[in-house]
């Protein structure tokens, strides 16, 4: 059975040596001393490796089951959920006013990575609740906040997001679910939603569904969509639970992965709903939840890649096959371990350098979300908004690829369920699809985010990379050659791709959109390149100062050098593809495929 070791030391390195969180002016960051964050991460680590990880295989094998309208989660989930709640983990970064601990989002993110790696299906119950609570926090009335948030922050009540319908997923303007206004100010919601994660289950007293629907008589298309709070059980004035609302699970889906999470068809039959935010501004309110969810899903890509890598590494050290080409390394044994072979090394280095780079990227993103929310920093808000589709799309595409690489290291055993490697691949696959399929993330990046606020944020990104290179060049020739030169080249590729879109996209938008996936990936590589340059700098400095664990920093530098030499140059291929335009992509008539 696979195991999970929480990457506490690496998280600490990113938080303190690279991002220097205590040096930040973001309110609340001054409290994030290394001892303090280490205590939190260690505690979360114990829970994830000791309680959640062992349930991962159970959840996969057993799945959820629907009986007489009740969804039963796999054995052990309920007890583990109680433990998670008791530890106050769901409310870690939620306001104290509603029972949370008000810690910065960056800490919630670091903890969240471990939860997701240990058991993605399980973690989704609290993850969706967090997203729904954030939407209520941002758009709810005081009365709505008081009614729902204390229970949701504690995860006594869980939350869901209901966008998808049988005939519409990406194109939500086609939505048919209706909201009929009532005299008392509430609405009657009628329609069907599909694929609703955590839509029904046995771990909470109440489930608060956030549902997109069209108010009768409102504008056509996406402009007529509003967001509603639809509780499973009505809530009385005194906070106690009242009668059952008109919402019920119709069925649960059989699916490729995340078996421990219930994916439900939800039927709304004149269910009572309460408007959240303004009429017809539902997408705006839902986006509060979706942006957070997209960063969370990007994290799932990293998390599955990391846990799969950890197990592949153990296997590669253990499994004896063949001899090293340069001479036996374990002559006392019948063969050498897999890890001696260069091609196995290549795969492990791909995985390791991705996971550590992605971890830094996500945490950097989380610091910008904190700066935006806690300090009203508009530039940070703009930059993280630009990078959100990259975090979601690049990290989940790559994360999935890395789980396949980890599975491959097991050879045939990776394909056999008993070893547990296929679960990582199957679980990682959904992250490329939900919260906006990755093709749509690329579309969002190229079609919307690049030009947002007159292109200000993408220019800020390029300035940031340029500034970093300028500030740090010339101090250490090895560092410059290994880190700064490749970063400069990759950033230039990205800029050229942006120029290509500007020059050709206006004439024919197909030229931009045919290159959107490549652009998202090259942007992701540049971000990880920047992260590795920052990590390389921190490691170089620590080694020069002689502080800390030298072996850790040497390993960090070697891993970074690998990423810069073997992964980052992918930007050149992406650029070539982008510059070839849309002609070959669009050449065939649909009938000729
Ligand atoms: C396990 C699971 C859990 C889920 N959880 C939830 C949930 O909790 N709540 C919820 O509301 N939904 C949920 N979903 C739904 C999920 O978000 C949608 O499946 C997803 O957004 C894609 O929508 P779709 O399936 O209708 O695909 P479509 O919209 O039909 O898209 C099909 C493909 O075409 C691409 N595409 C579509 N439009 C364009 C375009 N203009 N340009 C280029 N490419 C395009 C997409 O990228 C995709 O690859 C879940 C789905 C699954 C499988």
């Amino acid at each position: 059975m696979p195991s999970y070791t929480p990457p506490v030391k690496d998280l600490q390195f990113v938080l303190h040596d690279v991002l220097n969180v205590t040096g930040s002016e973001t309110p609340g960051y001054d409290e994030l001393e290394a001892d303090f964050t280490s205590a939190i991460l260690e505690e979360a680590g114990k829970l994830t490796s000791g309680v959640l990880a062992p349930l991962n295989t159970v959840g996969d094998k057993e799945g959820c089951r629907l009986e007489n309208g009740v969804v039963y989660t796999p054995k052990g989930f309920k007890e583990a959920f109680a433990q998670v709640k008791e530890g106050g983990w769901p409310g870690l970064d939620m306001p104290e006013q509603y029972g949370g601990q008000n810690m910065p989002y960056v800490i919630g993110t670091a903890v969240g990575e471990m939860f997701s790696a240990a058991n993605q299906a399980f973690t989704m119950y609290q993850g969706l609740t967090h997203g729904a609570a954030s939407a209520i926090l941002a758009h709810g009335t005081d009365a709505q906040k008081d009614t729902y948030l204390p229970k949701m922050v504690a995860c006594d009540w869980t939350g869901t997001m209901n966008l998808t319908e049988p005939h519409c997923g990406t194109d939500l303007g086609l939505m048919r679910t209706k909201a009929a206004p009532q005299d008392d100010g509430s609405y009657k919601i009628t329609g069907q939603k599909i694929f609703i994660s955590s839509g029904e289950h046995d771990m909470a007293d109440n489930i608060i569904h956030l549902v997109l629907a069209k108010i009768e008589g409102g504008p056509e298309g996406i402009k007529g969509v509003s967001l509603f709070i639809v509780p499973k059980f009505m809530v009385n004035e005194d906070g106690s639970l009242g009668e059952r609302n008109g919402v019920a699970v119709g069925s649960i889906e059989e699916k490729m992965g995340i078996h421990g999470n219930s994916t439900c068809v939800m039927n709304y039959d004149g269910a009572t709903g309460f408007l959240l935010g303004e009429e017809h501004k539902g997408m705006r309110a839902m986006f509060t939840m979706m942006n957070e969810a997209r960063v969370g899903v990007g994290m799932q890509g990293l998390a599955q890649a990391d846990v799969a890598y950890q197990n592949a590494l153990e296997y590669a050290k253990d499994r004896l096959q063949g001899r090293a080409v340069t001479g036996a390394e374990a002559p006392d044994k019948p063969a050498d371990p897999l890890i001696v072979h260069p091609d196995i090394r290549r795969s492990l280095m791909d995985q390791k350098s991705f996971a550590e780079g992605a971890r830094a990227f996500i945490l950097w993103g989380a610091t910008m979300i904190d700066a935006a929310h806690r300090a009203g920093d508009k530039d940070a808000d703009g930059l993280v908004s630009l990078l959100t589709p990259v975090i979601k799309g690049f990290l989940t595409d790559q994360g999935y690829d890395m789980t396949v690489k980890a599975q491959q290291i097991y050879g045939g055993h990776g394909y056999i369920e008993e070893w547990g490697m296929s679960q990582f691949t199957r679980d990682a696959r959904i992250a490329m699809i939900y919260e906006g399929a990755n093709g749509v993330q690329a579309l969002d990046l190229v079609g919307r985010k690049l030009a947002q606020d007159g292109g200000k944020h993408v220019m800020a990104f390029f300035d940031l990379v340029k500034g970093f290179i300028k500030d740090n060049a010339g101090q250490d020739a090895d560092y410059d050659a290994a880190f700064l030169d490749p970063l400069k080249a990759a950033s230039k590729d990205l800029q050229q791709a942006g120029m290509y879109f500007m020059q050709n996209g206006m004439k024919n938008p197909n030229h931009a959109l045919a290159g959107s996936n490549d652009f998202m990936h090259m942007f992701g590589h540049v971000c990880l390149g920047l992260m590795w340059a920052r990590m390389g700098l921190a490691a170089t400095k620590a080694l020069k100062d002689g502080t800390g664990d030298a072996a850790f920093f040497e390993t960090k530098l070697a891993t970074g050098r690998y990423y810069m030499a073997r992964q980052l140059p992918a930007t050149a291929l992406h650029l070539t593809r982008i510059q070839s335009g849309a002609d070959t992509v669009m050449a065939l008539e649909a009938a000729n495929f």
Side-chain angles (χ1 to χ4, degrees), residues 161-164 168-170 195-197 255 258 263 430 433-437 439-440 443:
M161 57 192 283
N162 292 237
L163 297 85
T164 310
C168 75
T170 303
F195 301 160
I196 303 310
S197 299
K255 54 194 191 293
I258 54 165
T263 306
I430 186 57
I433 299 171
Y434 58 20
E435 294 308 335
V440 175
L443 203 68

Side-chain angles (χ1 to χ4, degrees), residues 97-121:
Q97 186 186 356
Y98 300 111
Q101 299 181 51
N102 203 30
M103 284 194 202
Y105 181 68
V106 73
I107 296 301
T109 305
V111 168
E113 183 203 318
M114 295 190 276
F115 270 70
S116 267
N119 197 326
Q120 178 173 324

